Amino acid sequence: MVHMLSQKFKGNIVYAIVSQCIALCLSILMSLFVPRFFDPTEYAYWQLFILYNSYTGMLLFGINDGIYVRIGGKKYEDLDYSSLSALFYVVLTVQILFAVLISLFSVFFLSDSRKIFIFVAIAFFNVISNMGTYVNYVLQATNRTREFSKSIMINKIAFIATLIILIVIRTDKFELLVIAYIACQILSNIYCFTKTKSILFAKHSPIKEALRDCMINVKIGLQLMIGYYAGTLITGIARIFIEQRWGLTTFGQLSFALSLLAFLLLFLGQISIVLFPELKMLDYDLQKAYFRKLLKMFDLLLPLAYMAYIPMNLLLTIWLPKYQSSLYYLAVLFPTCVFECKMNIICNTYLKMLRKEAFVLKINILSLLLSTLFTITGTYLFSNITIIVYGIAICLYIRNILSEAYLLHSMNLKLSLSHFSDLIFAILFISFINISMTTVAIGMLIAYIAFYLINRKDVIRILYEIQKRKSNIFQIAKNKR
């Protein structure tokens, strides 16, 4: 049952890690340096742009997800270039139309000139980003992860360079950040388009055929898209209400905490992109075996993340004194790193691979409705942001555990008490954090020791497998010499 990963897969992992290391460097700059050197109001406007801009992908109506699912696992050379080319230009036309409508809406219905700038920029970026997303999904689905990763490198390196220049010359206008953000996406798109010339410049299939393909992709991908954006709106709806009720300053404080969490999750996020095409080529029994192994490994390793909060809290207190109120939000939301890591890397990958779009839609809509309930309650009944923040954490945990339970049931595997270890560690952490940092350190250490003693057999087994794989890698490298 042991499956040796292909050399191509290992190479893709290396490229993915390198690209995400670069993205990690950018996230460090965005999360730690922009808040320090930019005025809090400018930072809040920047976060407002990022928030609304993150939902422009909805205007693809799931076409990208439909393509990803339909061609996932195929070789790029085996694709129907004509149909993909025709569909590309249909999508481009629709995106330009939406850009015009968004721009007109912002000019005629918004009074804040800086918000008008934000929405006009979003309209322009929508066209660029969504067309880049179209070709990137083709690259990912056909396991051309290297090209996809290189496009990320181009985008991020260019933005890092621009950001460093802005910090050095002490310019803190968010408009310059937005312009740089758009320009770097254009550079990334140019690279992606050169790598998919065979699609973009292919002879188009008839327009009727393109529209039919469009509807097929929408039918497949719309549920995935709604499910995905319902998932992102779990936090997004809270941020929108907070900005409207408490203003930009408070919105900026919560956004800072959420951006740090996104920064912590970023590095591992790329693994799911590489896992999907590789796992899809395996037979069902191997997929099932890997799912059980991945869950067990994450259950044992992820709780260690809580120890990172102690030094992180100390450093942030010193480095960003303007964002002290954000640290409490960060503490409450910190367990979501564990939940979301498992959800993004394991559950979402398997749900997409096994074509469980209907479940993704249902579970994310349920979580969104719960988040909306917490948000409305915290905003209008109690006027208390803490209720909203706790609501986000609760909703993300519910989504994760229900997804795990559903996948285990569909694979005829049992849900054991060990799958609730995330909840136990989260409750302990939040309880300790409300007492003192010393309590967190001592309490979590005792919890770890007890947990690993209970699961010592699994720990030994995983350490043995890691050591075995390490020895194999060294042997391969030695043979190559």
Side-chain angles (χ1 to χ4, degrees), residues 41-289:
T41 301
E42 298 294 324
Y43 178 75
Y45 272 116
W46 163 251
Q47 285 294 326
L48 197 64
F49 166 77
I50 292 297
L51 172 63
Y52 287 109
N53 187 62
S54 65
Y55 297 111
T56 56
M58 294 176 70
L59 300 179
L60 283 169
F61 298 105
I63 290 173
N64 52 332
D65 290 296
I67 292 171
Y68 188 71
V69 171
R70 287 178 72 195
I71 68 175
K74 290 184 179 180
K75 292 182 179 180
Y76 181 82
E77 295 77 16
D78 296 334
L79 298 178
D80 184 349
Y81 297 152
S82 296
S83 63
L84 287 171
S85 178
L87 183 56
F88 176 89
Y89 291 102
V90 168
V91 173
L92 176 60
T93 303
V94 173
Q95 298 310 304
I96 291 173
L97 177 62
F98 276 123
V100 172
L101 293 174
I102 293 170
S103 298
L104 290 174
F105 172 84
S106 62
V107 170
F108 287 106
F109 292 98
L110 296 178
S111 57
D112 185 338
S113 61
R114 306 193 88 184
K115 287 188 177 180
I116 292 173
F117 172 83
I118 286 173
F119 280 94
V120 171
I122 286 171
F124 183 66
F125 185 79
N126 166 66
V127 179
I128 299 164
S129 177
N130 283 348
M131 301 323 299
T133 298
Y134 182 97
V135 294
N136 271 327
Y137 267 59
V138 172
L139 292 174
Q140 291 175 53
T142 54
N143 211 16
R144 292 180 64 183
T145 311
R146 295 189 183 194
E147 288 87 345
F148 172 69
S149 298
K150 285 178 181 178
S151 73
I152 292 177
M153 293 181 200
I154 292 169
N155 189 333
K156 305 307 181 186
I157 290 173
F159 195 59
I160 286 171
T162 306
L163 190 56
I164 290 173
I165 291 170
L166 293 177
I167 290 173
V168 169
I169 64 176
R170 299 283 180 172
T171 300
D172 67 348
K173 297 299 180 184
F174 89 95
E175 290 91 346
L176 294 177
L177 272 180
V178 171
I179 293 169
Y181 191 79
I182 295 172
C184 293
Q185 183 62 49
I186 292 173
L187 288 176
S188 177
N189 278 15
I190 291 171
Y191 172 80
C192 289
F193 293 160
T194 61
K195 294 300 177 181
T196 53
K197 288 185 292 186
S198 51
I199 291 175
L200 301 184
F201 299 108
K203 184 179 179 180
H204 302 166
S205 59
I207 186 65
K208 287 185 179 179
E209 190 175 318
L211 292 174
R212 186 189 67 197
D213 281 344
C214 184
M215 294 309 298
I216 291 171
N217 287 317
V218 168
K219 186 176 180 181
I220 294 172
L222 188 62
Q223 284 189 344
L224 280 172
M225 186 212 74
I226 295 174
Y228 169 76
Y229 282 105
T232 62
L233 277 167
I234 294 171
T235 57
I237 197 74
R239 294 172 69 190
I240 291 168
F241 271 73
I242 286 170
E243 192 270 328
Q244 294 295 321
R245 174 67 176 79
W246 284 279
L248 272 173
T249 302
T250 305
F251 167 80
Q253 293 284 335
L254 179 62
S255 295
F256 170 69
L258 290 170
S259 71
L260 283 176
L261 294 175
F263 153 60
L264 294 172
L265 287 167
L266 179 64
F267 184 75
L268 292 173
Q270 189 78 7
I271 295 175
S272 62
I273 294 172
V274 184
L275 273 178
F276 177 76
E278 192 73 17
L279 287 171
K280 192 166 183 178
M281 290 187 286
L282 302 179
D283 61 55
Y284 181 73
D285 287 336
L286 280 172
Q287 290 174 351
K288 183 175 174 180

Side-chain angles (χ1 to χ4, degrees), residues 260-328:
L260 283 176
L261 294 175
F263 153 60
L264 294 172
L265 287 167
L266 179 64
F267 184 75
L268 292 173
Q270 189 78 7
I271 295 175
S272 62
I273 294 172
V274 184
L275 273 178
F276 177 76
E278 192 73 17
L279 287 171
K280 192 166 183 178
M281 290 187 286
L282 302 179
D283 61 55
Y284 181 73
D285 287 336
L286 280 172
Q287 290 174 351
K288 183 175 174 180
Y290 270 108
F291 179 71
R292 184 160 37 192
K293 284 184 178 180
L294 285 169
L295 270 185
K296 178 58 69 175
M297 184 171 66
F298 275 58
D299 283 338
L300 292 173
L301 296 178
L302 284 179
L304 292 171
Y306 289 109
M307 293 305 289
Y309 179 79
I310 299 170
M312 186 173 71
N313 179 278
L314 178 62
L315 292 172
L316 289 174
T317 301
I318 298 169
W319 181 251
L320 295 169
K322 296 178 183 177
Y323 291 86
Q324 288 300 300
S325 59
S326 293
L327 298 182
Y328 178 72

